[in-house]
Amino acid sequence: AVVSTQSTGMTTGAKIICTLTDPADGGVFTGELSTYGQVKEPFDRAKRGHVITADLLCQICNVRVDRTSRHCSQCNKCVLRFDHHCDYINNCVGRRNYLYYIGLLLSSSLYSLLVMFNATFILYRISFKQREFLSELGWSRPRILGRDVDAAILVTLLIILVIMMFISFVLVINLLRLHLYLLYNGWTTWDYYCRSKEERKKHSYWKYKTREGTVQSMTIANVCQNNVLRPNNKTSPMPPHAI
């Protein structure tokens, strides 16, 4: 029960942090001409082409952004190291809240697993050792929310709960597996789905091409420094693209 309560608290806390953390590019906050927080006109792609130009100027936010930033059409702002827009947290996932998002997936998978095991244990006791189980609880009949119910109803609800938690666990753990794979390779979800396999190899966060064409390995601390990812570094730039 203690572990279940802790996993519930961790899941709720991680979701709140992911939702409240603003993942916008730093230039969106500090740019003198930034339109952050203002009502923006619809972007006319026929007149302007890409949202982010080749010299990394976002024509909607009106600031120069990091080479890893993408303009999210749903949030209507540029997101630093854009990964994807998540409807579940009603926010974009980027560099500023990515670790919290990983924590959300971890705690959610743990929560689903614990609920599934607890429901399976109760289902076993109700199905095969009902009298012993009820006597331990001091009940004469199974109860739901303080009201006596038929054992068949409780068994049916427990089976549905186990199936739902199993499906939830499989979905979340596979999403977590994908993101751990992306994190290991230094890619974002956008890189994974919008780039070819050969292009992804050139844009890993854990290594980059220097001016001499050699490849240097990067640490997490180095990658988190803005100057590594700014356009003055002669890495082959990401093509301007609108999300």
Side-chain angles (χ1 to χ4, degrees), residues 27-78:
V28 175
F29 297 119
T30 59
E32 294 182 2
L33 301 177
S34 173
T35 58
Y36 182 72
Q38 303 176 17
V39 178
K40 301 166 187 168
E41 297 181 2
F43 184 79
D44 190 345
R45 191 179 299 274
K47 294 181 179 180
R48 299 188 186 180
H50 292 293
V51 173
I52 299 178
T53 61
D55 58 350
L56 301 180
L57 172 67
C58 176
Q59 300 186 75
I60 297 180
C61 297
N62 204 30
V63 294
R64 296 195 184 281
V65 295
D66 191 275
R67 54 183 302 192
T68 64
S69 297
R70 295 288 179 275
H71 190 93
C72 176
S73 59
Q74 293 180 264
C75 293
N76 202 18
K77 60 187 174 187
C78 286

Side-chain angles (χ1 to χ4, degrees), residues 98-114:
Y98 189 73
L99 290 181
Y100 298 121
Y101 182 74
I102 295 294
L104 175 62
L105 296 180
L106 279 169
S107 56
S108 297
S109 58
L110 177 61
Y111 174 78
S112 300
L113 192 63
L114 289 173

Side-chain angles (χ1 to χ4, degrees), residues 2 15 22 29 53 79 87 89 103 113 130 148 175 177 182:
V2 175
K15 185 177 186 300
D22 193 336
F29 297 119
T53 61
V79 176
D87 291 329
I89 63 173
L113 192 63
Q130 184 176 143
D148 292 345
L175 183 58
R177 180 183 62 83
L182 296 177

Side-chain angles (χ1 to χ4, degrees), residues 1-41:
V2 175
V3 178
S4 297
T5 303
Q6 290 177 342
S7 64
T8 303
M10 290 170 58
T11 303
T12 304
K15 185 177 186 300
I16 292 174
I17 294 174
C18 283
T19 302
L20 297 182
T21 301
D22 193 336
D25 185 284
V28 175
F29 297 119
T30 59
E32 294 182 2
L33 301 177
S34 173
T35 58
Y36 182 72
Q38 303 176 17
V39 178
K40 301 166 187 168
E41 297 181 2

Side-chain angles (χ1 to χ4, degrees), residues 66 68-69 79-83 93-95 188 205 223-224 229:
D66 191 275
T68 64
S69 297
V79 176
L80 181 62
R81 197 187 297 171
F82 179 85
D83 189 86
V93 177
R95 194 179 81 180
T188 64
Y205 295 131
V223 172
C224 289
L229 298 174

